[in-house]
Amino acid sequence: MIGLFLDEGPISRCYLELTKRKDFKFNEIIYLGKKTLFPKNLYINYKFNLINRKPLIFLKDKNIDKLIRDVEEYFNLGYNFFKDAYRYYDISNRCQKFYFSKSLNINSRENIKILQETKSLRFLNSGKVILKEILDQNKDFLHIHPAYLPEIKGADGSLWNIVKKKNFAGSFFVLDKKIDNGDIIFRDSFKLKKFKYLDSKYIVNFYDIWFSFIDPAIRCNILEKVITNKHLNGKPGINSIGGEYFTFMSKEDRTEILKEMLLKS
């Protein structure tokens, strides 16, 4: 049985849409929220619109349509994938049991207590916070890193993979307490494609566009293969020894890479 730790944002919303299209339902979803006086549905709606405000704005821009359609096609996501992914709905229907956590910190006592109540033996993690105390609860935590492990670890993985490997890649692995260091269940790489549809006026938005659509698409391409090939319950077959850790790219370096990937010729 597989659960989902849902940290609101593009990654989690795209995972929900991909699993919905694959007719896959999580056993349990734990939504990372906070203490609030408002009903949880109002809070989730508010947070959805706040955290996903940039992709919601981009989806209304007709000048970005061709890029979005090409990304959907290239990564085999299906027509209107992002439009549906960034449409608000009651996500409690995407699982057998839904938990609303009053703590954003995945390692908090609140989330450990909730986790101890769950029946799922494995959880897909949609956040980027380093897991520590929660890993001591005899549950497996799974993650998709948008680069080829163990060679490329750390931040901005989808961009560093382009620089170092000249392709797209993703790795599905079991988390441990080190960054991108758990043993690997599945990994894949595929040909690099450029989406050069945008005018220079969008350069300031390139990073946000990348992480609203292309980075989640890489992760979803891997998740689709994991579900189709029944790797969700698979055992790790590749150790994560070695590799190189990367930090967030400088603004100058990432802009140059993204111009090469997205700027209209």
Side-chain angles (χ1 to χ4, degrees):
M1 295 187 289
I2 304 294
L4 173 68
F5 255 99
L6 199 158
D7 192 354
E8 185 65 76
I11 295 172
S12 60
R13 288 292 163 172
C14 289
Y15 284 176
L16 287 171
E17 183 59 27
L18 187 281
T19 54
K20 184 178 181 180
R21 291 182 178 222
K22 294 289 292 182
D23 198 27
F24 175 90
K25 182 174 282 192
F26 291 101
N27 188 54
E28 291 149 322
I29 291 177
I30 301 174
Y31 186 94
L32 298 177
K34 70 174 186 179
K35 292 181 181 178
T36 175
L37 297 175
F38 296 102
K40 65 181 181 181
N41 287 340
L42 286 180
Y43 171 82
I44 294 173
N45 192 344
Y46 164 78
K47 192 176 179 185
F48 166 83
N49 285 286
L50 176 66
I51 302 299
N52 299 300
R53 63 191 182 280
K54 290 180 180 178
L56 289 170
I57 291 170
F58 296 145
L59 282 167
K60 295 177 182 178
D61 190 334
K62 298 300 182 182
N63 294 316
I64 305 179
D65 272 354
K66 288 184 179 180
L67 180 148
I68 293 172
R69 297 290 171 256
D70 202 8
V71 171
E72 289 174 339
E73 181 178 353
Y74 184 72
F75 291 101
N76 298 314
L77 299 177
Y79 183 69
N80 273 348
F81 178 89
F82 290 110
K83 182 179 178 181
D84 292 340
Y86 292 118
R87 178 184 290 120
Y88 181 79
Y89 62 94
D90 183 2
I91 57 176
S92 66
N93 295 324
R94 297 296 305 124
C95 61
Q96 300 296 329
K97 188 170 179 61
F98 183 82
Y99 297 88
F100 178 84
S101 171
K102 297 177 182 178
S103 173
L104 289 167
N105 179 7
I106 195 170
N107 295 296
S108 68
R109 291 183 180 180
E110 165 85 9
N111 283 313
I112 290 173
K113 182 178 179 181
I114 292 173
L115 187 67
Q116 290 171 344
E117 298 176 7
T118 63
K119 295 182 180 179
S120 300
L121 301 177
R122 286 184 157 186
F123 279 84
L124 179 63
N125 178 44
S126 65
K128 298 180 180 180
V129 175
I130 298 173
L131 274 59
K132 295 180 180 178
E133 292 84 357
I134 203 159
L135 291 177
D136 298 326
Q137 305 306 309
N138 295 318
K139 305 274 190 178
D140 283 341
F141 284 83
L142 310 170
H143 188 68
I144 296 173
H145 178 62
Y148 202 75
L149 292 176
E151 284 91 334
I152 300 172
K153 300 177 179 179
D156 283 345
S158 56
L159 296 177
W160 282 114
N161 205 89
I162 293 171
V163 173
K164 298 295 182 179
K165 307 285 283 186
K166 311 301 181 187
N167 60 21
F168 293 125
S171 305
F172 178 66
F173 68 103
V174 181
L175 285 162
D176 66 15
K177 293 184 180 181
K178 296 181 180 180
I179 298 173
D180 298 333
N181 195 64
D183 288 341
I184 301 158
I185 297 173
F186 174 79
R187 62 184 179 178
D188 194 21
S189 59
F190 33 105
K191 185 178 179 180
L192 189 69
K193 176 179 172 59
K194 298 177 180 180
F195 304 96
K196 298 172 76 68
Y197 293 100
L198 302 180
D199 295 326
S200 58
K201 69 178 182 180
Y202 288 98
I203 289 176
V204 67
N205 302 119
F206 277 0
Y207 192 72
D208 290 326
I209 290 171
W210 185 269
F211 285 95
S212 294
F213 304 109
I214 300 167
D215 181 270
I218 294 169
R219 297 172 192 262
C220 282
N221 182 276
I222 296 297
L223 181 57
E224 191 279 331
K225 292 171 182 173
V226 164
I227 294 173
T228 299
N229 296 300
K230 303 186 186 303
H231 292 307
L232 277 174
N233 293 305
K235 295 181 180 180
I238 307 166
N239 69 53
S240 59
I241 296 173
E244 187 176 356
Y245 282 97
F246 296 91
T247 58
F248 288 103
M249 278 190 180
S250 68
K251 185 176 181 180
E252 294 76 16
D253 287 345
R254 78 192 192 200
T255 297
E256 288 306 309
I257 293 167
L258 291 170
K259 283 167 64 176
E260 180 63 26
M261 294 297 297
L262 305 178
L263 185 62
K264 186 186 296 184
S265 301

